[in-house]
Amino acid sequence: VQLQAFGGGLVQAGGSLRLSCDASGGTFNLAVMAWFRQALGKEREFVATINRSGSVTRYADSVRGRFTISRDNAKNTVYLQMNSLQPEDTAVYYCAASRRPFYTASTYSADDFASWGQGTLVTVSS
């Protein structure tokens, strides 16, 4: 599956952004989807994931309560609504897809996701 993320930009601290990721070339509703992010000079880190139907979600501790992942299988799109953004949320955000079964965990490895979008930059100013 091919993924294309967009929606990033510059926002002030406390503001909101919604990222979108369009999927094509595969069966979107069979894929577990996720968002990861990578700040300059840091490792890529898990942000949020959602199961195939959209009924179960998991979040990194750092974003829980502020970010919401959702999906629309009819539109082959996954979203990341980001509220109360802080400067430490500044990063390139990547959407990812996996055909592996969804599992619950405190965090998720990028190695579990085979397909990746190109990334969209989110910059939060203080």
Side-chain angles (χ1 to χ4, degrees):
V1 61
Q2 288 76 50
L3 304 173
Q4 184 172 6
F6 54 95
L10 175 64
V11 63
Q12 289 187 328
S16 298
L17 280 175
R18 187 175 84 154
L19 306 183
S20 300
C21 176
D22 290 340
S24 62
T27 310
F28 179 75
N29 61 354
L30 296 183
V32 172
M33 300 299 297
W35 289 94
F36 286 75
R37 67 186 182 186
Q38 187 167 17
L40 189 63
K42 294 188 176 181
E43 296 290 320
R44 189 169 299 190
E45 65 174 0
F46 165 74
V47 175
T49 188
I50 189 167
N51 71 341
R52 293 180 174 90
S53 68
S55 61
V56 183
T57 58
R58 290 293 184 268
Y59 298 92
D61 289 344
S62 58
V63 307
R64 187 175 296 111
R66 300 187 298 123
F67 292 10
T68 302
I69 187 171
S70 61
R71 65 190 296 163
D72 186 335
N73 286 347
K75 296 182 177 180
N76 290 351
T77 302
V78 63
Y79 305 97
L80 185 68
Q81 177 67 43
M82 304 184 294
N83 298 329
S84 302
L85 283 162
Q86 299 302 316
E88 52 266 34
D89 295 316
T90 295
V92 176
Y93 284 71
Y94 299 89
C95 59
S98 172
R99 288 299 182 93
R100 296 188 179 190
F102 184 86
Y103 62 94
T104 56
S106 59
T107 190
Y108 295 80
S109 169
D111 292 340
D112 286 344
F113 295 84
S115 300
W116 291 83
Q118 82 286 6
T120 184
L121 176 63
V122 172
T123 304
V124 184
S125 62
S126 57

